[in-house]
């Protein structure tokens, strides 16, 4: 070993990484490492292989453990915690089925670039590969859906591995990291010292964006006639929302924010033209389609935004800035690729555009804004009120948003209610909108809201859920009730798997095969009477320790929401009985071009030749 570094050919694990300190069991070292890494909350369930860690956890005065009812919820709660705070979320589970139950939330965090560290117990090292009781190769299972994962078989390696896991999860493009620890490593003793050697950690920081590319991007911005700032979730993760506002106002270009970026730029800002994509605002979808320059910031040109890829934005040059080099040019070739952290990229772009302006070069977008404003005014977001006097789901969500206290955090499930919440809640601030974007995970909302509320106990947290999503993870209301985590849940109850039903309506001749939730296979799709609800969400929620309300009439809506907002000592569940046939519009059908966006059923916007 030379100068504190391993000699050539010397095994890093065989040299002293830290100054020798007190001797702890691997389990004690794990808990101490989590404490030293700044963790305050862990979501999980104990089991045989991870039990030594739970024994050590009982002595911790710095870690709060939230005992969930299902490991999937532990993972989603860690994600909600991370999305609401920007810090690493932590979950724990035992080996075998405990670990495999984390696979869905790990995949979810991977696709949405959320920093999560999942810690799993594993069978003793001498049983690995022998099909021991509750043995699963969780490192192999999760390899494609983690940023990195580790199998730890020695107690002395635990502090270094935990430090490395947190570093990897939270730096560059964030993501999930799994640490699988054998039971004998948790039980063995070794010297502990913190912090481990940082110079051995992986994932070095990304270099600053290249100045020549920044200048080229600024030049394209000032020369363009129809530019659009296409903003993705990377802007929020980089803490770059203030810089984004400066750049947008400096350039005067239209801004679109993706589903993962809602709140990165205020919905109320006049430069904001809405969310793009399959269910995006007509103005946002069309602005991207007609643009001659797209400046993509922390976005990845995913299929839900581009529609049929070879027809997407045919007139546009592309500036693509991302922290992950694998994303740049992956789906759409970039004329100016910029590798870097979004905050640094945008700050540098601001300076470069200011230099262009100082030289007398500034874009004139007046004709472009005339078109964009016409699309906004002609095809605004809206909804119809049901003729039978029942509740409109869009109205329910809109009023929840309007009546919510300042700084409320909203977590949405997946489906129609997710899209309505994206459209009809006013998203003004970053990290107040949590949802499963890439994976589209039903059952996400309740545990994610639980994680956010555990992180921010003084803030209101609403879970906007569908009756289908709610039935996947509603058991976590017990966790919330027992752990003083008083979230609020709005069940948008249309008695069906709403988004699937919408597709059956539009593309499958109204053949509603197995999408009705409230009754058996002979159901005609109509809402049940109040006496035949299966399950009765009010009774179910009350049984789990919650205050439960039901709202069926528009005239009661505001009063019920206000009642829910006023309850702060227990979880609250509101069963909103809404019209079953409401649909999400606008819509670009899967596999079609964004040119075929429909403002409503049967309504295809006509933009005229002057826009081509």
């Amino acid at each position: 070993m030379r100068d504190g570094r391993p000699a050539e050919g010397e095994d890093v694990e065989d040299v002293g990484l830290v100054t020798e300190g007190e001797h702890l069991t691997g389990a004690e070292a794990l808990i101490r490492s989590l404490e030293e890494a700044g963790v305050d909350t862990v979501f999980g369930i104990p089991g045989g292989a991870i039990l030594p860690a739970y024994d050590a956890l009982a002595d911790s005065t710095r870690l709060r453990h939230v005992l969930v009812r299902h490991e999937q919820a532990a993972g989603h709660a860690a994600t909600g915690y991370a999305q609401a705070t920007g810090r690493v979320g932590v979950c724990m589970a035992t080996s075998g089925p405990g670990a495999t139950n984390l696979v869905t939330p790990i995949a979810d965090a991977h696709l949405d670039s959320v920093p999560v560290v999942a810690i799993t117990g594993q069978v003793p090292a001498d049983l690995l590969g022998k099909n021991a009781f509750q043995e699963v190769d969780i490192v192999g299972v999760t390899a494609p859906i983690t940023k990195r994962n580790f199998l730890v078989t020695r107690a002395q390696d635990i502090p270094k591995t935990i430090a490395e896991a947190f570093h990897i999860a939270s730096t560059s493009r964030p993501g999930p990291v799994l640490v699988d620890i054998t039971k004998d490593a948790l039980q063995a003793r070794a010297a502990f010292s913190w912090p481990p050697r940082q110079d051995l950690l992986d994932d070095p920081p990304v270099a600053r964006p290249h100045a020549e590319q920044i200048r080229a991007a600024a030049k394209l911005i000032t020369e363009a006639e129809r530019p659009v700032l296409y903003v993705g979730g990377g802007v929020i993760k980089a803490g770059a929302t203030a810089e984004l506002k400066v750049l947008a106002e400096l350039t005067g270009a239209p801004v679109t924010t993706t589903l993962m970026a809602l709140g990165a730029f205020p919905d109320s800002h006049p430069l904001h033209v809405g969310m793009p994509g399959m269910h995006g605002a007509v103005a946002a979808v069309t602005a991207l389609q007609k643009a001659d320059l797209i400046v993509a910031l922390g976005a990845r040109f995913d299929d839900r935004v581009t529609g049929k890829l070879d027809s997407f934005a045919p007139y546009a040059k592309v500036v693509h800035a991302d922290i992950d080099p694998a994303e740049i040019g992956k789906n759409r070739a970039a004329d100016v690729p910029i590798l870097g952290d979004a905050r640094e990229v945008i700050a540098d772009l601001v300076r470069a555009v200011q230099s262009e302006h100082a030289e007398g070069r500034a874009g004139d977008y007046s004709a472009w804004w005339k078109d964009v404003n016409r699309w906004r005014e002609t095809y605004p977001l809206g909804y119809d009120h049901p003729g039978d006097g029942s509740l409109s789901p869009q109205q329910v969500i809109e009023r929840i948003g309007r009546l919510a206290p300042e700084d409320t955090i909203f977590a949405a499930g997946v489906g129609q209610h997710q899209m309505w919440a994206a459209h009809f809640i006013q998203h003004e601030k970053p990290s107040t909108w949590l949802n499963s974007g890439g994976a589209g995970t039903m059952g996400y909302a309740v545990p994610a809201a639980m994680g956010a509320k555990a992180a921010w106990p003084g803030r209101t947290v609403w879970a906007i859920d569908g009756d289908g999503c709610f039935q996947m993870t509603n058991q976590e209301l017990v966790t919330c009730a027992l752990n003083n985590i008083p979230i609020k849940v709005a069940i948008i109850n249309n008695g069906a798997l709403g988004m699937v039903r919408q597709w059956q309506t539009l593309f499958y001749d109204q053949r509603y095969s197995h999408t009705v939730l409230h009754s058996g296979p002979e159901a005609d799709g109509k809402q049940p009477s109040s006496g035949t609800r299966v399950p009765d969400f009010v009774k179910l929620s009350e049984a789990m320790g919650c205050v439960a309300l039901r709202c069926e009439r528009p005239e009661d809506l505001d009063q019920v929401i206000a009642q829910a907002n006023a309850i702060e000592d227990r979880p609250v569940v509101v069963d909103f009985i809404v019209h079953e046939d409401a649909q999400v519009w606008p819509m670009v059908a899967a596999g079609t071009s964004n040119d075929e966006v429909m403002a409503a059923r049967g309504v295809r916007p006509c933009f005229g030749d002057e826009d081509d």
Side-chain angles (χ1 to χ4, degrees):
M1 189 162 182
R2 302 185 186 93
D3 302 321
R5 297 177 181 274
E8 184 176 348
E10 190 172 20
D11 188 346
V12 171
E13 293 186 347
D14 292 333
V15 299
L17 297 182
V18 293
T19 303
E20 187 170 306
E22 59 184 314
H23 279 68
L24 304 176
T25 67
E28 292 167 338
L30 169 63
I31 300 306
R32 184 75 66 83
S33 297
L34 293 176
E35 291 174 340
E36 296 301 327
V39 177
D40 55 25
T41 305
V42 177
F43 304 91
I45 304 179
I50 195 68
L51 199 55
Y54 273 84
D55 185 64
L57 183 60
D59 295 326
S60 176
T61 59
R62 294 162 61 182
L63 293 182
R64 177 191 189 189
H65 180 270
V66 177
L67 176 62
V68 298
R69 267 51 193 171
H70 192 286
E71 290 91 352
Q72 180 179 350
H76 290 317
T79 294
Y81 178 101
Q83 288 178 316
T85 64
R87 302 195 298 272
V88 177
V90 181
C91 54
M92 282 177 39
T94 196
S95 63
T100 58
N101 281 341
L102 288 177
V103 169
T104 293
I106 288 172
D108 184 275
H110 174 69
L111 285 164
D112 288 345
S113 304
V114 182
V116 169
V117 170
I119 299 165
T120 53
Q122 184 54 275
V123 300
D126 62 351
L127 294 180
L128 288 172
K130 297 180 180 179
N131 291 332
F133 177 67
Q134 292 192 334
E135 181 195 359
V136 169
D137 178 12
I138 196 63
V139 168
V141 169
T142 60
I145 55 170
T146 51
K147 193 173 176 187
R148 177 81 183 272
N149 60 24
F150 301 87
L151 173 62
V152 182
T153 60
R154 304 194 312 174
Q156 60 264 41
D157 295 333
I158 289 174
K160 174 180 76 75
T161 305
I162 293 298
E164 192 168 357
F166 275 79
H167 176 76
I168 293 170
S170 59
T171 55
S172 297
R173 182 179 183 172
V177 176
L178 179 131
V179 180
D180 193 36
I181 311 175
T182 60
K183 189 172 184 177
D184 55 319
L186 290 170
Q187 293 171 321
R189 301 187 75 86
F192 175 86
S193 186
W194 190 273
R197 279 260 306 280
Q198 294 298 307
D199 61 326
L200 296 177
L201 299 182
D202 286 347
D203 211 15
V206 175
R208 283 189 60 84
H210 197 285
E212 184 177 344
Q213 293 165 316
I214 293 290
R215 288 193 295 270
K219 188 171 186 291
L220 285 179
I221 290 171
T222 56
E223 290 176 347
E225 296 179 354
R226 302 187 305 278
V228 176
L229 301 184
Y230 162 39
V231 177
V235 169
I236 292 178
K237 290 174 175 62
T241 56
E243 288 80 2
L244 172 65
K245 189 169 184 287
V246 172
L247 178 65
E249 292 177 347
L250 177 65
T251 64
V255 178
T256 68
T257 48
T258 67
L259 182 67
M260 296 306 299
L262 296 179
F265 192 76
D267 280 4
S268 59
H269 197 288
L271 294 176
H272 190 249
V273 296
M275 180 182 77
M278 175 178 278
H279 292 293
V282 170
V285 172
T286 309
L288 284 172
Q289 203 66 359
K290 304 289 187 181
D292 66 356
L293 176 66
I294 293 175
V295 181
L297 303 167
R300 56 189 179 89
F301 291 92
D302 67 285
D303 61 295
R304 286 296 167 115
V305 168
T306 65
K308 188 179 179 183
L309 186 59
D310 60 9
S311 68
F312 174 70
Y315 317 111
K317 292 183 177 180
V318 170
V319 173
H320 193 178
D322 203 282
I323 200 167
D324 185 352
E327 289 295 346
I328 299 176
K330 182 176 77 175
N331 295 327
R332 173 65 180 258
D335 297 275
V336 180
I338 304 177
L339 179 64
D341 177 82
R343 190 171 186 178
E344 292 186 351
V345 170
I346 297 172
D348 286 356
L349 275 175
V350 166
R351 287 187 284 270
V353 172
Q354 287 172 333
S355 295
E356 288 285 313
H357 289 182
E359 296 293 328
R361 295 184 292 272
D364 180 3
Y365 312 143
S366 55
W368 178 224
W369 270 110
K370 183 179 178 181
D371 288 340
V372 172
N373 284 329
R374 185 173 74 255
W375 302 331
R376 278 204 290 202
E377 293 161 7
T378 307
Y379 304 104
L381 294 172
Y383 56 89
D384 295 324
H385 293 275
D388 62 2
S390 59
L391 276 173
S392 158
Q394 300 97 319
Q395 182 186 17
V396 170
I397 293 169
E398 184 176 47
R399 294 308 297 164
I400 290 172
R402 294 288 184 187
L403 297 174
E406 189 175 0
D407 292 329
T408 292
I409 296 170
F410 298 95
V414 169
Q416 288 181 313
H417 60 282
Q418 176 190 26
M419 296 298 105
W420 289 323
H423 282 315
F424 296 109
I425 291 173
Q426 196 83 347
H427 301 285
E428 299 293 313
K429 296 180 180 179
S431 303
T432 56
W433 164 251
L434 319 179
N435 81 126
S436 171
T441 307
M442 293 179 68
Y444 166 91
V446 169
M450 176 174 68
K453 183 67 174 178
W456 296 109
R459 294 170 66 176
T460 299
V461 179
W462 271 99
I464 310 295
D465 224 357
D467 46 332
C469 287
F470 181 71
Q471 292 185 72
M472 293 192 174
T473 52
N474 63 59
Q475 74 278 351
E476 299 311 321
L477 290 172
V478 175
T479 307
C480 291
L482 294 177
N483 288 275
N484 189 30
I485 305 175
I487 66 171
K488 306 182 193 302
V489 181
I491 306 173
I492 309 303
N493 185 355
N494 64 357
L497 298 172
M499 188 64 87
V500 184
R501 177 186 169 90
Q502 176 168 333
W503 281 51
Q504 289 174 332
T505 299
L506 297 176
F507 309 120
Y508 291 88
D509 298 325
Q510 301 182 37
R511 289 164 55 86
Y512 300 120
S513 175
H514 300 283
T515 47
V516 174
L517 291 172
H518 56 68
S519 50
E522 301 304 317
D524 60 6
K526 297 184 183 301
Q527 288 284 8
S529 68
S530 59
T532 60
R533 300 184 191 280
V534 180
D536 184 321
F537 290 132
V538 169
K539 292 179 180 178
L540 178 64
S541 300
E542 288 176 342
M544 290 189 284
C546 304
V547 175
L549 310 169
R550 178 173 287 128
C551 183
E552 302 187 58
R553 305 188 307 165
E555 55 266 34
D556 298 331
L557 184 58
D558 282 13
Q559 181 270 325
V560 170
I561 295 171
Q563 185 180 351
N565 280 329
I567 298 168
E568 298 181 348
D569 60 340
R570 282 181 291 169
V572 182
V573 177
V574 187
D575 185 17
F576 291 101
I577 309 301
V578 301
H579 197 277
E580 64 183 3
D581 287 326
Q583 295 186 345
V584 179
W585 300 103
M587 182 176 182
V588 179
T592 66
S593 169
N594 283 351
D595 289 324
E596 299 178 51
V597 60
M598 294 181 287
R601 187 174 183 181
V603 179
R604 283 274 307 280
C606 179
F607 300 110
D609 293 339
E610 73 276 13
D611 299 321
D612 292 335

